[in-house]
Amino acid sequence: MGILETIKDPLDLKKLASGDLPELAAEIRDLLISTVARTGGHLGPNLGVVELTIALHRVFDSPRDRILFDTGHQSYVHKMLTGRAGDFGTLRQEGGLSGYPSQAESEHDVIENSHASTALSYADGLAKAFALRGETDRTAIAVIGDGALTGGMAWEALNNIAARKDLPLIVVVNDNGRSYSPTIGGLASHLSTLRMTQRYEQALELVKNNLGRVPVVGAPLYETLHGVKKGLKDIFAPQVMFEDLGLKYVGPIDGHDEPAVEAALRRARAYRGPVIVHVLTHKGHGYAHAENHDEDCFHSPAPFDVETGEERPRPHSWTNVFSEEMVKIGAQREDVVAITAAMLHPVGLAAFADAYPQRIYDVGIAEQHALTSAAGLALGGLHPVVAIYATFLNRAFDQLLMDVALHRLPVTVVLDRAGVTGDDGPSHNGMWDLSMLQVIPGLSIAVPRDAVRLRELLAESVGIEDGPSVVRFPKGALPREIEAVGHLGGMDVLRAGDPDVLLVAVGPMADICMDAATLLDAQGISATVVDPRWAKPLDEALVLAAAAHKLVVVVEDGGRSGGVGDAVARMLRDADVDVPVRTYGIPQRFLDHAKRQKILTEIGLTGQDLAREITEAVAKRSPVLERHPARQV
């Protein structure tokens, strides 16, 4: 029986002898590697926080002390140490463990976060609540790293945290990059310990007060001594900017030296005020294939072979097509530049960066800055393409509205992983964009149904020069290509039928709608299927097409509230067309993690489900249909 199997609660971890911890860390890494090799997931970040997470749970008393991970994809080890090691094989599987903290799973999971740079604000509020309620024995601990400290919200939080010297709050900076040199040696350790004692602060204040009374030389002498202190810290602790904010700082600490991390956390806890604990970790630590993976140290690999580190082949995807097309557009247009928010490879901009290294900007996890920087690039005569995950556009709505659209700037936003994404759970489904974006004046939204249309619509989008545009597509393999059989204005007619039902298939929903139309035929219902191509603005030809049918059905892979269906209904009302409109899309609730197709089936977005619903809707309006042979039992 391994040590990990005996850990049912953090209290069990505290009972272990320090000599058992290296073996426990090895067992954790083995389970991480073997599980993620099968399920996919965030491997590199979690391999890097094994010793850090062990130390956190040995020093603090979760769940009374609140440990927050930013981002939450660093929480796999935390899950194992809080009683979920036995279920870890279900990671990211339907009905199994989430790839992020989950309140439904454990009282030790405080926030269900996968959007970065938020934990410091949560911790600020928690620590203030502890103080106000007189709970002096509780501590809020925010573990931030893996790029999350590049987000502006984190620095807004630090600014507020620094203003309250009495908050029991610890910020663990998990530094797994190469931007800071490690500090080693006894003197550095001594300085860290000294700075964390109240006696040091009291002594410094005493010297300041007494020297201040000495005429002429007192104040300059104190400033000189204080400068020496600051100079030493500049040498031995490069992160003095935290102390310049008024925050106590410990580190840097070797994040893979568990006793050292544990000692630093104990000093920080004893201080009972805001403290930065800076730990240096290596992404992918302990698994050579991850450590030597140049692209991202196996940040989030697909299933892979443990022995070779080779990932299973992935099908040609929407992202691949976008990547190829961006390189072509870059060759044709020297004014086209690209922006990514720490997602160069995942959003498909790596090939563009290789081809045009002077025209790519990675701004870190800072979507707000990305959009307003894009506005500046557009003001400077360029056409920026900002490629981000659809779920992360939520964070930059105001910038797209007020900094880009208000100035009618030619910025193209490409939203990868739009609609249902599946495995990463509720925070990653890109289901909000079609609702949010409808309210932005002058914005055009393209929704391609297949690879051919993605190429066409991306080219059309970067050709728009009098306002912003959006191109959105889902995660995963490409659907079959569906050619148009005709055109209505700028819309593609995918299937011509008698005037029973007009099926408006928004982008990748075209395949489902074509299946539904075939099934409706068997029920004696003829359906016309159109792809609007542009979900905003809608083509005026849609009004005439709707008026010629008995029922309009809009199918979209976005939230039903305020989406394309609502825009179609509003358009028809404004034109005094009284044909009924039914909308099918994603229900306005947070969806549990599962495969994309499983979720689409669960929420009724399949050809069979649509055909059944539409048949019932038509039957209510047509007594003749009720007597159709296909309807008889």
Side-chain angles (χ1 to χ4, degrees), residues 459-579:
E460 291 177 30
S461 292
V462 296
I464 296 174
E465 296 298 333
D466 58 352
S469 58
V470 167
V471 181
R472 55 110 66 185
F473 50 81
K475 177 183 180 180
L478 290 159
R480 65 186 176 105
E481 293 178 3
I482 304 174
E483 294 301 328
V485 298
H487 301 281
L488 282 173
M491 299 188 299
D492 285 347
V493 179
L494 307 183
R495 190 181 193 275
D498 294 330
D500 287 336
V501 178
L502 177 64
L503 263 173
V504 181
V506 181
M509 295 292 98
D511 207 0
I512 292 171
C513 289
M514 293 293 281
D515 289 344
T518 299
L519 294 171
L520 287 170
D521 265 346
Q523 298 294 322
I525 302 171
S526 181
T528 300
V529 182
V530 298
D531 172 9
R533 298 178 74 251
W534 291 92
K536 184 179 186 297
L538 291 166
D539 197 297
E540 292 294 332
L542 187 58
V543 174
L544 295 177
H549 289 78
K550 300 172 185 175
L551 176 68
V552 175
V553 175
V554 182
V555 185
E556 57 188 302
D557 62 339
R560 292 179 67 242
S561 298
V564 182
D566 283 358
V568 170
R570 183 173 61 254
M571 183 184 198
L572 299 184
R573 287 197 306 269
D574 291 346
D576 289 326
V577 174
D578 293 329
V579 61

Side-chain angles (χ1 to χ4, degrees), residues 280-294:
L280 298 169
T281 64
H282 299 284
K283 207 166 183 173
H285 185 75
Y287 181 50
H289 294 302
E291 292 182 272
N292 299 326
H293 188 252
D294 291 335

Side-chain angles (χ1 to χ4, degrees), residues 577-614:
V577 174
D578 293 329
V579 61
V581 178
R582 298 284 294 270
T583 299
Y584 295 91
I586 302 175
Q588 301 297 160
R589 60 182 173 84
F590 296 110
L591 305 172
D592 291 334
H593 64 277
K595 295 298 181 185
R596 171 179 163 86
Q597 190 54 53
K598 176 69 175 180
I599 293 175
L600 292 176
T601 300
E602 190 266 328
I603 63 179
L605 286 182
T606 69
Q608 187 173 11
D609 288 321
L610 289 174
R612 182 177 61 252
E613 292 274 346
I614 293 169

Side-chain angles (χ1 to χ4, degrees), residues 115 389-395 397 415 417-421 425-439 445 472 556-564 586-591:
H115 288 202
Y389 287 5
T391 183
F392 297 140
L393 179 66
N394 305 353
R395 302 162 68 93
F397 173 80
L415 301 180
R417 282 122 166 115
V420 171
T421 56
S427 60
H428 266 56
N429 289 312
M431 57 181 281
W432 319 105
D433 58 312
L434 288 175
S435 300
M436 293 190 309
L437 298 178
Q438 287 290 338
V439 304
I445 307 173
R472 55 110 66 185
E556 57 188 302
D557 62 339
R560 292 179 67 242
S561 298
V564 182
I586 302 175
Q588 301 297 160
R589 60 182 173 84
F590 296 110
L591 305 172

Side-chain angles (χ1 to χ4, degrees), residues 170-206:
I170 296 171
V171 178
V172 178
V173 177
N174 172 28
D175 177 10
N176 60 13
R178 303 287 181 180
S179 55
Y180 306 108
S181 299
T183 299
I184 57 175
L187 180 57
S189 177
H190 177 70
L191 285 176
S192 292
T193 303
L194 184 63
R195 288 199 304 274
M196 286 310 307
T197 63
Q198 291 289 353
R199 286 182 301 164
Y200 171 78
E201 291 303 312
Q202 292 164 1
L204 189 66
E205 189 67 22
L206 179 65

Side-chain angles (χ1 to χ4, degrees), residues 215-397:
V216 185
V217 299
L221 181 57
Y222 170 77
E223 291 302 323
T224 299
L225 292 174
H226 194 264
V228 170
K229 169 208 169 195
K230 293 286 289 182
L232 285 172
K233 288 194 292 183
D234 285 347
I235 295 170
F236 291 105
Q239 290 280 44
V240 292
M241 60 180 172
F242 292 120
E243 290 200 342
D244 289 339
L245 283 171
L247 294 165
K248 286 301 171 187
Y249 171 81
V250 177
I253 309 296
D254 180 353
H256 303 298
D257 183 342
E258 196 280 336
V261 177
E262 197 172 317
L265 292 174
R266 292 189 189 282
R267 291 199 302 271
R269 184 185 63 179
Y271 182 67
R272 304 309 296 165
V275 182
I276 301 287
V277 178
H278 179 192
V279 298
L280 298 169
T281 64
H282 299 284
K283 207 166 183 173
H285 185 75
Y287 181 50
H289 294 302
E291 292 182 272
N292 299 326
H293 188 252
D294 291 335
E295 184 177 310
D296 61 7
C297 295
F298 271 25
H299 175 81
S300 182
F304 62 92
D305 183 281
V306 173
E307 296 301 320
T308 66
E310 292 183 9
E311 295 183 58
R312 295 178 194 168
R314 305 190 194 198
H316 204 60
S317 68
W318 292 89
T319 307
N320 295 140
V321 175
F322 165 68
S323 176
E324 295 159 1
E325 205 59 25
M326 273 296 291
V327 174
K328 293 178 183 177
I329 290 172
Q332 298 162 0
R333 299 243 328 242
E334 292 185 357
D335 64 321
V336 169
V337 296
I339 298 176
T340 176
M343 291 285 184
L344 183 69
H345 289 87
V347 299
L349 284 177
F352 186 91
D354 290 340
Y356 318 107
Q358 301 304 314
R359 292 155 59 186
I360 183 79
Y361 305 97
D362 187 341
V363 300
I365 304 178
E367 292 84 5
Q368 293 171 293
H369 170 66
L371 264 295
T372 304
S373 178
L377 287 163
L379 285 169
L382 301 174
H383 191 113
V385 175
V386 182
I388 55 178
Y389 287 5
T391 183
F392 297 140
L393 179 66
N394 305 353
R395 302 162 68 93
F397 173 80

